[in-house]
Amino acid sequence: MLLRNVFLLLLLTVAAVAPARADDGYRLWLKYDRIADAAARQQYARSAQFIASAGTSPTLQAASGELQRGLSGLLGQAVPVVGTAGSRTGGVVLRVDKQASANGQPLKSEGYRLFSEKNNLVITGRTEVAVLYGAFALLRQVQTRQSLAGVNFSSNPRIDYRLLNHWDNQNGTIERGYAGSSIWQWYQLPEGLAPRYTDYARANASIGINGVVINNVNASARYLTAEYIGKVAALAGVLRPYGQRVYLSVFWAAPKVLGGLPTADPLDPQVKQWWAAKSEELYKAIPDFGGFLVKANSEGEPGPQDYNRNHADGANMLAQSLGRHDGVVMWRAFVYKAGSGDRFKQAYEEFQPLDGKFDPKVLVQVKNGPIDFQAREPFSPLFGAMPKTPLVLEVQLTQEYLGFATHLVYLGPLIKEVLEADTYAKGAGSTVAKVVDGTVDQHALSAIAGVANIGSDRNWTGHPVGQANWYAFGRLAWDHTLSSAAIAQEWTKMTLTTEPAAVRTLTDMLVKSRNIYVRYTTPLGLHHIMGESIHFGPQPWLAKAGRPDWTAVYYHKADSIGLGFDRTATGSNALALYKPEVQKQWGNPQTCPLDYLLWFHHVGWNQRLSTGRTLWNELATRYYTGADSVLWLQKQWAQVRPQLDPALHADVTARLQTQRKEALWWRDACVLYFQTYARQPLPAPLAPPTRTLAEVKDLVNLYQLR
Amino acid sequence: MLLRNVFLLLLLTVAAVAPARADDGYRLWLKYDRIADAAARQQYARSAQFIASAGTSPTLQAASGELQRGLSGLLGQAVPVVGTAGSRTGGVVLRVDKQASANGQPLKSEGYRLFSEKNNLVITGRTEVAVLYGAFALLRQVQTRQSLAGVNFSSNPRIDYRLLNHWDNQNGTIERGYAGSSIWQWYQLPEGLAPRYTDYARANASIGINGVVINNVNASARYLTAEYIGKVAALAGVLRPYGQRVYLSVFWAAPKVLGGLPTADPLDPQVKQWWAAKSEELYKAIPDFGGFLVKANSEGEPGPQDYNRNHADGANMLAQSLGRHDGVVMWRAFVYKAGSGDRFKQAYEEFQPLDGKFDPKVLVQVKNGPIDFQAREPFSPLFGAMPKTPLVLEVQLTQEYLGFATHLVYLGPLIKEVLEADTYAKGAGSTVAKVVDGTVDQHALSAIAGVANIGSDRNWTGHPVGQANWYAFGRLAWDHTLSSAAIAQEWTKMTLTTEPAAVRTLTDMLVKSRNIYVRYTTPLGLHHIMGESIHFGPQPWLAKAGRPDWTAVYYHKADSIGLGFDRTATGSNALALYKPEVQKQWGNPQTCPLDYLLWFHHVGWNQRLSTGRTLWNELATRYYTGADSVLWLQKQWAQVRPQLDPALHADVTARLQTQRKEALWWRDACVLYFQTYARQPLPAPLAPPTRTLAEVKDLVNLYQLR
């Protein structure tokens, strides 16, 4: 007894003397801090007395190592890794079993199953990486305080290729990155392999991401040189044990600038030969190289159209260059030619006619909406319109149009909204999710891509809640049937706190945050009214730019009569790109959901909406209630202070202050600007802004200065 | 006894269980790890039983807080801060004393003195910041394992303004930065004040840096808007307690782009008025604002010459705008007009005639050499040539031309070399240091600036040894009489290890590293033969660029006869800009130090040098021995592995591998290229490169790709 008391006393002493370490966010959701509740800890410990893994491969070592690290941390005691369980019980057993099945069905190659056997907890799957995924699933059970008793569940990914797209440049900057510079240190590679690469791979593996496009779609040719292929191969070596393949964005004109050829025409034999040789070189260095991502003939990038060839000509040539290798080509549909009508329709017009023309190794990568990652967009009409072509859904995690790393916006609901949108391609229930996962059209390939929000900031994502977006993307890529609220709760428990009331408060904040952002920036279906080029702050007055469709007035079309872009038959008729069921929902301004109203209709200022308010009154009210909802976010956040790490809490507290300030910029800018067209006062009880439109313009126009 | 043993046992257990924390370099030289030697620890502890400080000001709290943190860490036991020593002895007493003096002379306002009084160790100075500097000096004593017994020393800064220049852009990138993105998070300011700002301020204070120009000399006008002034003021609030003032680089055309004026002519009354009002606005927000740094009419930046005014017109107008406030204007002399002869002479030709024309608040900021931060340059001929103008010495810590963050190059010797260079302005001994510190010409103002090598990388500087360059700059700015070897040793002990043999090995590496870099890149006075724009790798073949003086051939002038730029009377006669004593040293190719030979002479390939070798043989030999010296660096580094943190050791080991690889690029590229002019074999025993010139060109030309 004496000894035991002394022990406790001393442990407490040591804890008190140890410097208080602020949580800098580096560990993401893989925190593994000791469970505070001793009873719960002991309960878990009974099921985790050892980790049995006979595997010596890097992947199985990663799995047992992660379990050891995680369980030792969570339980506050060392958990040994042993070769085999033998007759021992009460441990975790890792088992690769080529016959592994669940519910009478063989598991997919990446699917895993957890079950109890002879008082051990078995993690099994047909492949090593499946076991690694299962290990993370077990840790998640403990991190979210689920019971391990009688555990028996399995999980298969619904989409095969679950990819992060890094818009990282060769010089270390990140296009639309708000969390520091690139985590890839090209000048140190291949000799220098930053420990951070491994932590990045762990994080990805924990949520099932299995591929990484490491460079910007506005690609440098540099990555295709022997020197850089060596660097990429070194990175691939770090990611491989964690089940992630490396992909490259390619610069279409590479055969010219690197190969010295006179052309990059995809039908030119020398060009074909150059790409085939380049693919061979890549696979020699990186046997599991994933393939290519291409942005061609888009925003100034070269492409096959420079030679009067079409996207399919280009994509197919690249696909054929891969030869016998297990790689794919993801060809982006983000195109909009200057001066050819409603930008909403242009990707559709270029790509839909090519359906059926693509090589089986080609996937066409489509942004969630028809314009460009706005805070809310209707789903792209390409989904459901190219049944013969596997489509990659591209969503943006980096908050280019969602307040950079300042605004708290949890993207789970945004991603779910598009996944659940019904294209009616093969009747009701043909959701975007089912188009993308291949079930609607029975595709052999399926893929989803998230434009990464990851940078060199210590906490990876700038805003601590940005981590939740990385997390939610991975979880939904694996299983799009998960609810965004459940994912938010999971992330909160793993990352912030497990205290139930605080978990509820935080989950509620996360779930509501995106609609709040929409309200104070682009309510009722407004879109593309942000600052030119930088995409920061409001600039609805932007009327001149390099192209009409880079302005704001092109999109909101405010005039003395009303507001919004008529995309019905009386306007651009973009609505006709959708199936009749969708047209019916959105085509009538009386029944069109208010969230999409101004996407499709030019609505009179005094037209009464389903809320009972006129358009002007509803618009103004939403700007005001949206901006005031940030006060609510602040209040909720203040409430959970006792449960959160002080440094992390202070960080988000400051960001919320800035968010409130900038929400007021948006509110005042947009209300005052649109008021010059609506020519009527704000409805009671809204108090007019205390500044003039000129003053708000000055505030945000400065972000246009070099 | 039982209890004590249990205690020790448990402490060991806890230590063993605690995860091994790799040293990520974040703490810089302020490490404060517990002194391993118990006897030494006890010895120090006898003099540091408490810290007595009655001060409640932020600066005195910073001083006592740093001492507490440092001493508690080093001694492994809590050291209390008490209000006054009272009758206690064996402690450290902080004392602001307006009469403080040393050696019979009043201390300068920032100077400090440490002495023993009644068995206490007193840190005193006339100002609070002086006491803060003294606190860091005391910690340095302990960190470098100097005795505290009978401590009695004082120190005054020799230069008044000791500044870091950050070339940080508003978008978070850093011009010529190789350590991630900017540490300034503009989109989070002023609400978000990253804890890192305080650690930055602590590091600067520890080496005496007292001013920070926070933005790039290619300046955005943004910083002069009310919105950004609020952000800058918030930063200033963090830096102020640590004795650092904030300065801004200004965009000359700001009165036009921000003020809407039709002109930025410095003699225009409206322009003057605009700047005066802007200065008032700045001082209202930042009462201790430091002033302006200006790059005007240089590399495309606007300036007074756009209005047919000269640099003095511009600088004086800005100085006058400061009015009664205690600020200065630092006007950069880095100018070189296109097509006007030897670039070496151009800054001199524009600025020297203006000597005596500047307002007393203006300092002219001169780069150490006449071209642009090459690995070795002769001192700029402006030093000593403008006796009526205080000159700021600008050195570059970020390794734009010194191998980025890959090559291990300790810059202490480079900075010392220019400081000790004798201008002979007022006879022998008129060193650059004495010109800059004001003693040669009795100036009231003195300043030195280092272009920061600091970024958001966890270890601040990318290459861990980059930290030594930040450190050495600060120490030399404070006291240019310190030896670069002594500073290297200090930094090594504070940052890497105190084990004597390892300290010797590491100090030796540091001290020799810069000459090694010169040897394998630009031996014998070669300069400006690096890759175009990016300034990475060798490109001596560069013959076409936007301007002739952006090529390499402009500088090396290789031909069938020989190599080097004739800057004697038979050539550009740039040498005539120096005092006769200097001309005498450098003017004769037989006696010119080999380090400067090709800076001033076109030397025949077969001309015999003082080494006994011909130019060609000496050049080739230096490239080879230089590249092989990296093997020596690697061997030395491998030797100290047992004494160093494993993560840090592995990091530098990898960087040295890359450095060796790139040293061979330089060697092969330059030897093969110059051989096409020298047309003779390599001297024995040098083995010819195993690759062709075309192959090396391919290797490094790829860094010219977008």
Side-chain angles (χ1 to χ4, degrees):
Chain A
M1 272 308 278
L2 171 67
L3 257 173
R4 191 175 168 185
N5 285 341
V6 169
F7 182 80
L8 285 171
L9 179 74
L10 288 172
L11 272 186
L12 289 169
T13 307
V14 170
V17 166
R21 295 199 78 87
D23 187 347
D24 61 16
Y26 180 77
R27 293 175 301 159
L28 297 160
W29 49 85
L30 301 176
K31 276 198 174 136
Y32 310 145
D33 286 333
R34 195 177 70 139
I35 295 167
D37 177 345
R41 218 161 54 228
Q42 285 160 22
Q43 180 75 25
Y44 286 121
R46 278 195 283 277
S47 308
Q49 295 167 40
F50 61 89
I51 298 150
S53 175
T56 55
S57 72
T59 298
L60 285 178
Q61 291 213 334
S64 60
E66 191 75 28
L67 278 172
Q68 183 173 43
R69 175 186 194 148
L71 293 172
S72 300
L74 288 157
L75 306 182
Q77 61 188 51
V79 179
V81 176
V82 299
T84 57
S87 59
R88 297 178 67 175
T89 59
V92 177
V93 177
L94 305 191
R95 183 186 299 159
V96 179
D97 172 4
K98 293 212 160 82
Q99 311 302 321
S101 63
N103 309 319
Q105 296 284 333
L107 287 165
K108 287 190 181 181
S109 72
E110 296 176 309
Y112 58 83
R113 181 177 166 218
L114 272 62
F115 63 98
S116 301
E117 178 188 83
K118 299 183 197 152
N119 274 322
N120 283 325
L121 200 162
V122 179
I123 301 175
T124 193
R126 288 168 48 211
T127 59
E128 293 185 347
V129 76
V131 171
L132 176 65
Y133 289 151
F136 278 111
L138 172 61
L139 288 167
R140 187 161 55 234
Q141 287 286 107
V142 181
Q143 286 179 278
T144 55
R145 306 295 186 264
Q146 313 293 304
S147 170
L148 294 184
V151 150
N152 191 357
F153 66 86
S154 62
S155 188
N156 280 310
R158 289 176 190 270
I159 296 176
D160 298 326
Y161 295 84
R162 305 174 298 277
L163 309 173
L164 282 182
N165 289 6
H166 285 264
W167 286 359
D168 294 18
N169 300 313
Q170 45 80 4
N171 65 1
T173 60
I174 304 176
E175 182 158 331
R176 310 304 178 182
Y178 312 102
S181 52
S182 175
I183 58 172
W184 315 128
Q185 307 203 317
W186 293 111
Y187 286 87
Q188 267 58 62
L189 286 165
E191 294 84 7
L193 290 167
R196 187 163 193 154
Y197 300 153
T198 304
D199 291 322
Y200 167 80
R202 289 173 52 231
N204 274 348
S206 75
I207 51 177
I209 286 169
N210 65 2
V212 181
V213 185
I214 54 175
N215 62 318
N216 191 359
V217 290
N218 297 318
S220 168
R222 219 180 257 207
Y223 297 95
L224 295 174
T225 63
E227 179 71 13
Y228 268 68
I229 289 173
K231 295 171 188 274
V232 175
L235 267 185
V238 179
L239 300 179
R240 186 174 297 117
Y242 293 90
Q244 288 143 60
R245 297 166 72 178
V246 162
Y247 299 69
L248 285 176
S249 294
V250 297
F251 180 59
W252 185 259
K256 291 167 71 178
V257 302
L258 296 183
L261 298 183
T263 178
D265 179 350
L267 302 193
D268 182 277
Q270 280 189 295
V271 170
K272 290 184 188 183
Q273 169 54 30
W274 189 89
W275 280 110
K278 189 53 70 180
S279 291
E280 275 305 321
E281 184 184 352
L282 279 161
Y283 278 96
K284 196 169 168 191
I286 311 164
D288 59 348
F289 178 66
F292 300 123
L293 174 63
V294 189
K295 174 178 180 180
N297 294 123
S298 168
E299 296 183 332
E301 291 296 305
Q305 293 176 347
D306 303 346
Y307 308 95
N308 293 316
R309 315 300 181 189
N310 66 29
H311 291 292
D313 294 328
N316 295 347
M317 182 278 289
L318 268 193
Q320 286 148 23
S321 86
L322 298 170
R324 65 193 161 76
H325 299 294
D326 173 31
V328 295
V329 171
M330 290 163 291
W331 194 273
R332 289 174 93 235
F334 177 65
V335 297
Y336 55 109
K337 287 206 178 66
S340 56
D342 184 359
R343 174 171 163 186
F344 190 114
K345 299 158 70 175
Q346 293 172 18
Y348 186 100
E349 287 168 348
E350 272 192 45
F351 275 85
Q352 198 282 330
L354 296 174
D355 189 34
K357 304 265 168 64
F358 288 101
D359 185 281
K361 284 189 169 184
V362 174
L363 301 97
V364 170
Q365 182 157 321
V366 182
K367 290 189 182 184
N368 60 284
I371 301 298
D372 192 11
F373 298 137
Q374 298 301 293
R376 171 169 275 126
E377 298 203 24
F379 68 91
S380 165
L382 279 169
F383 292 109
M386 295 184 70
K388 295 174 186 156
T389 312
L391 300 185
V392 189
L393 169 62
E394 178 179 317
V395 297
Q396 191 181 45
L397 310 176
T398 187
Q399 291 174 229
E400 175 179 359
Y401 298 100
L402 286 113
F404 290 13
T406 306
H407 294 232
L408 191 159
V409 186
Y410 169 60
L411 298 177
L414 186 157
I415 303 171
K416 277 296 276 191
E417 194 169 285
V418 62
L419 286 166
E420 291 181 346
D422 199 339
T423 69
Y424 292 90
K426 298 255 166 88
S430 305
T431 59
V432 170
K434 291 181 179 173
V435 169
V436 169
D437 75 12
T439 54
V440 166
D441 301 303
Q442 303 301 314
H443 288 301
L445 295 177
S446 61
I448 186 168
V451 179
N453 60 349
I454 297 160
S456 66
D457 274 4
R458 183 65 181 166
N459 74 359
W460 302 83
T461 56
H463 200 306
V465 171
Q467 297 183 358
N469 296 330
W470 180 5
Y471 184 85
F473 169 74
R475 297 288 286 141
L476 288 171
W478 180 275
D479 183 356
H480 54 69
T481 70
L482 296 172
S483 89
S484 66
I487 295 170
Q489 193 191 71
E490 234 176 55
W491 176 81
T492 298
K493 285 182 172 176
M494 294 168 80
T495 312
L496 299 178
T497 176
T498 54
E499 197 278 317
V503 170
R504 278 193 301 276
T505 302
L506 290 161
T507 305
D508 193 31
M509 286 178 71
L510 292 177
V511 167
K512 290 177 177 158
S513 60
R514 183 269 196 135
N515 271 338
I516 291 171
Y517 182 83
V518 170
R519 275 200 167 228
Y520 64 74
T521 59
T522 48
L524 294 172
L526 282 172
H527 52 283
H528 208 288
I529 58 172
M530 68 292 151
E532 184 180 7
S533 299
I534 187 173
H535 300 169
F536 178 81
Q539 206 178 5
W541 49 83
L542 180 65
K544 276 191 185 170
R547 301 168 44 152
D549 54 6
W550 289 346
T551 69
V553 300
Y554 174 96
Y555 295 96
H556 65 66
K557 301 208 184 296
D559 56 23
S560 62
I561 296 161
L563 182 67
F565 198 134
D566 181 4
R567 291 189 168 105
T568 68
T570 57
S572 78
N573 209 16
L575 199 55
L577 306 182
Y578 291 98
K579 294 282 180 293
E581 294 90 334
V582 179
Q583 291 185 41
K584 198 177 156 197
Q585 285 175 42
W586 296 344
N588 181 343
Q590 305 304 321
T591 60
C592 177
L594 294 186
D595 284 340
Y596 297 125
L597 184 64
L598 303 177
W599 272 99
F600 295 106
H601 302 282
H602 192 69
V603 181
W605 292 113
N606 294 315
Q607 189 170 318
R608 204 158 292 277
L609 307 184
S610 56
T611 58
R613 295 194 187 90
T614 63
L615 172 67
W616 167 249
N617 286 352
E618 185 65 36
L619 186 79
T621 300
R622 289 194 180 207
Y623 272 115
Y624 272 74
T625 54
D628 285 348
S629 294
V630 182
L631 298 175
W632 176 80
L633 287 173
Q634 290 179 293
K635 213 169 110 186
Q636 300 295 101
W637 187 254
Q639 266 179 36
V640 299
R641 190 166 70 85
Q643 278 73 46
L644 264 55
D645 173 86
L648 182 139
H649 192 272
D651 180 344
V652 174
T653 297
R655 286 180 208 260
L656 284 167
Q657 285 169 13
T658 310
Q659 182 175 350
R660 165 68 176 164
K661 179 184 72 177
E662 295 177 4
L664 292 173
W665 290 359
W666 272 95
R667 184 195 77 178
D668 292 354
C670 294
V671 164
L672 291 170
Y673 171 77
F674 290 125
Q675 195 171 35
T676 64
Y677 293 96
R679 286 166 301 163
Q680 47 189 303
L682 291 172
L686 308 182
T690 54
R691 52 192 157 194
T692 65
L693 180 55
E695 285 166 344
V696 200
K697 281 188 181 180
D698 273 353
L699 249 179
V700 294
N701 278 349
L702 76 92
Y703 291 90
Q704 300 299 323
L705 296 171
R706 81 146 195 194
Chain B
M1 274 305 281
L2 172 69
L3 256 173
R4 190 175 171 185
N5 285 341
V6 169
F7 182 80
L8 285 172
L9 179 75
L10 288 172
L11 270 187
L12 289 169
T13 307
V14 170
V17 166
R21 296 199 77 86
D23 187 347
D24 62 15
Y26 180 77
R27 295 176 299 159
L28 296 161
W29 49 86
L30 301 176
K31 277 198 173 132
Y32 308 146
D33 287 332
R34 193 176 71 137
I35 297 168
D37 177 348
R41 219 160 55 227
Q42 284 159 24
Q43 179 74 27
Y44 285 121
R46 277 197 283 276
S47 309
Q49 295 167 39
F50 62 88
I51 299 150
S53 174
T56 56
S57 72
T59 297
L60 286 178
Q61 292 212 333
S64 60
E66 191 75 30
L67 278 172
Q68 182 173 42
R69 173 187 196 149
L71 293 172
S72 300
L74 288 158
L75 307 182
Q77 61 187 51
V79 180
V81 176
V82 299
T84 56
S87 59
R88 294 177 68 176
T89 59
V92 178
V93 177
L94 305 190
R95 183 185 299 159
V96 178
D97 172 5
K98 294 213 160 84
Q99 311 302 321
S101 63
N103 309 318
Q105 297 284 332
L107 286 165
K108 287 191 181 179
S109 73
E110 295 177 308
Y112 58 83
R113 181 178 165 218
L114 274 62
F115 63 99
S116 301
E117 178 188 84
K118 299 183 199 155
N119 273 323
N120 283 325
L121 200 162
V122 179
I123 302 176
T124 192
R126 287 168 48 207
T127 61
E128 294 184 348
V129 76
V131 171
L132 176 65
Y133 290 150
F136 279 110
L138 171 61
L139 287 167
R140 187 161 56 233
Q141 287 287 108
V142 180
Q143 287 180 277
T144 55
R145 306 294 186 267
Q146 312 293 304
S147 171
L148 294 183
V151 150
N152 191 354
F153 66 87
S154 63
S155 188
N156 280 310
R158 289 177 189 270
I159 296 177
D160 298 326
Y161 295 84
R162 304 173 299 276
L163 310 173
L164 282 183
N165 288 6
H166 285 264
W167 285 1
D168 293 20
N169 300 312
Q170 45 80 2
N171 65 0
T173 60
I174 304 176
E175 181 159 332
R176 309 304 178 181
Y178 311 103
S181 52
S182 175
I183 59 172
W184 315 129
Q185 307 204 318
W186 293 111
Y187 286 87
Q188 269 58 63
L189 286 166
E191 295 85 8
L193 290 167
R196 188 165 192 151
Y197 300 154
T198 304
D199 291 322
Y200 168 80
R202 289 173 52 231
N204 274 349
S206 76
I207 51 176
I209 287 169
N210 65 2
V212 181
V213 185
I214 55 174
N215 62 318
N216 191 358
V217 289
N218 298 317
S220 168
R222 222 180 253 208
Y223 297 96
L224 295 174
T225 62
E227 178 71 12
Y228 268 67
I229 289 171
K231 294 170 188 274
V232 175
L235 268 186
V238 178
L239 300 179
R240 186 173 296 116
Y242 292 90
Q244 289 143 60
R245 297 167 72 178
V246 161
Y247 299 69
L248 284 176
S249 294
V250 297
F251 180 57
W252 185 258
K256 292 167 72 178
V257 301
L258 297 183
L261 297 185
T263 177
D265 179 348
L267 302 193
D268 181 279
Q270 280 189 295
V271 171
K272 289 184 189 183
Q273 170 53 31
W274 189 89
W275 280 110
K278 189 52 70 180
S279 291
E280 274 305 321
E281 185 184 353
L282 279 161
Y283 277 96
K284 196 168 169 191
I286 311 163
D288 59 348
F289 178 66
F292 300 124
L293 174 62
V294 189
K295 174 178 180 179
N297 294 121
S298 167
E299 297 184 330
E301 292 297 305
Q305 293 177 348
D306 304 346
Y307 308 95
N308 294 316
R309 314 300 181 189
N310 65 31
H311 292 292
D313 294 328
N316 295 347
M317 182 278 288
L318 269 193
Q320 285 147 22
S321 86
L322 297 171
R324 64 192 163 79
H325 299 294
D326 173 31
V328 294
V329 171
M330 290 163 292
W331 194 273
R332 287 174 95 238
F334 178 65
V335 297
Y336 56 107
K337 287 207 178 68
S340 57
D342 184 359
R343 175 170 163 187
F344 190 114
K345 297 157 70 175
Q346 293 171 17
Y348 185 101
E349 287 167 349
E350 272 193 44
F351 274 87
Q352 198 283 330
L354 297 174
D355 190 34
K357 306 264 167 65
F358 289 101
D359 186 281
K361 283 188 171 187
V362 174
L363 301 98
V364 169
Q365 182 159 324
V366 182
K367 290 190 181 184
N368 59 285
I371 301 297
D372 192 10
F373 296 139
Q374 299 299 293
R376 169 169 277 125
E377 298 202 25
F379 69 91
S380 165
L382 279 168
F383 292 110
M386 296 186 68
K388 295 175 187 157
T389 312
L391 300 186
V392 189
L393 169 63
E394 178 179 317
V395 295
Q396 191 182 43
L397 309 176
T398 188
Q399 293 173 228
E400 176 179 359
Y401 297 101
L402 287 112
F404 290 11
T406 306
H407 294 232
L408 190 160
V409 186
Y410 169 59
L411 297 177
L414 187 158
I415 302 171
K416 276 295 277 191
E417 194 169 284
V418 62
L419 286 167
E420 291 182 346
D422 200 339
T423 69
Y424 291 92
K426 297 258 166 89
S430 304
T431 60
V432 170
K434 290 183 180 171
V435 169
V436 170
D437 76 12
T439 52
V440 167
D441 300 304
Q442 304 300 316
H443 288 302
L445 294 176
S446 60
I448 185 168
V451 179
N453 59 348
I454 297 160
S456 67
D457 274 4
R458 184 64 181 168
N459 74 358
W460 303 83
T461 55
H463 199 306
V465 171
Q467 297 182 358
N469 296 330
W470 180 5
Y471 184 85
F473 170 73
R475 296 287 286 141
L476 288 171
W478 180 275
D479 184 356
H480 54 69
T481 69
L482 296 173
S483 89
S484 65
I487 295 170
Q489 192 190 70
E490 234 177 54
W491 176 81
T492 299
K493 284 182 173 175
M494 293 168 80
T495 312
L496 300 178
T497 176
T498 54
E499 196 278 318
V503 169
R504 277 194 300 276
T505 301
L506 290 160
T507 305
D508 193 30
M509 284 177 71
L510 293 177
V511 167
K512 290 177 176 158
S513 61
R514 184 269 193 133
N515 271 339
I516 291 171
Y517 183 83
V518 170
R519 277 203 163 222
Y520 65 71
T521 60
T522 48
L524 295 171
L526 282 171
H527 52 282
H528 209 288
I529 57 172
M530 68 292 151
E532 184 180 5
S533 299
I534 187 174
H535 300 169
F536 178 79
Q539 206 177 7
W541 49 81
L542 180 65
K544 276 192 186 168
R547 302 169 40 154
D549 54 6
W550 289 346
T551 69
V553 300
Y554 175 95
Y555 295 95
H556 64 65
K557 302 210 184 295
D559 56 23
S560 62
I561 296 161
L563 182 66
F565 199 134
D566 181 3
R567 290 189 168 106
T568 67
T570 57
S572 78
N573 209 16
L575 199 54
L577 305 181
Y578 292 99
K579 293 283 181 292
E581 295 89 336
V582 180
Q583 292 187 42
K584 198 178 155 195
Q585 284 175 41
W586 295 344
N588 180 345
Q590 304 304 321
T591 59
C592 177
L594 294 185
D595 284 340
Y596 297 125
L597 184 65
L598 304 177
W599 273 99
F600 295 106
H601 302 282
H602 192 68
V603 181
W605 292 112
N606 293 315
Q607 188 169 319
R608 203 158 292 277
L609 307 185
S610 56
T611 59
R613 295 192 187 91
T614 63
L615 172 66
W616 167 250
N617 285 354
E618 186 65 35
L619 186 79
T621 300
R622 290 195 177 204
Y623 272 115
Y624 273 72
T625 55
D628 286 348
S629 294
V630 182
L631 298 174
W632 176 80
L633 288 173
Q634 290 180 291
K635 213 170 109 189
Q636 300 296 102
W637 187 254
Q639 266 179 36
V640 300
R641 188 166 70 85
Q643 278 74 46
L644 264 55
D645 174 84
L648 182 139
H649 192 271
D651 180 342
V652 174
T653 297
R655 286 180 208 258
L656 284 167
Q657 284 169 14
T658 310
Q659 183 175 350
R660 165 67 178 164
K661 178 183 73 179
E662 294 177 5
L664 292 174
W665 291 358
W666 272 96
R667 182 194 78 178
D668 291 356
C670 294
V671 164
L672 291 169
Y673 170 76
F674 290 125
Q675 196 173 36
T676 65
Y677 293 96
R679 286 168 301 161
Q680 47 189 302
L682 292 172
L686 308 182
T690 55
R691 50 192 160 195
T692 65
L693 180 55
E695 286 168 344
V696 199
K697 281 188 181 180
D698 273 353
L699 249 178
V700 295
N701 278 349
L702 75 93
Y703 290 91
Q704 299 299 322
L705 296 170
R706 82 149 194 190

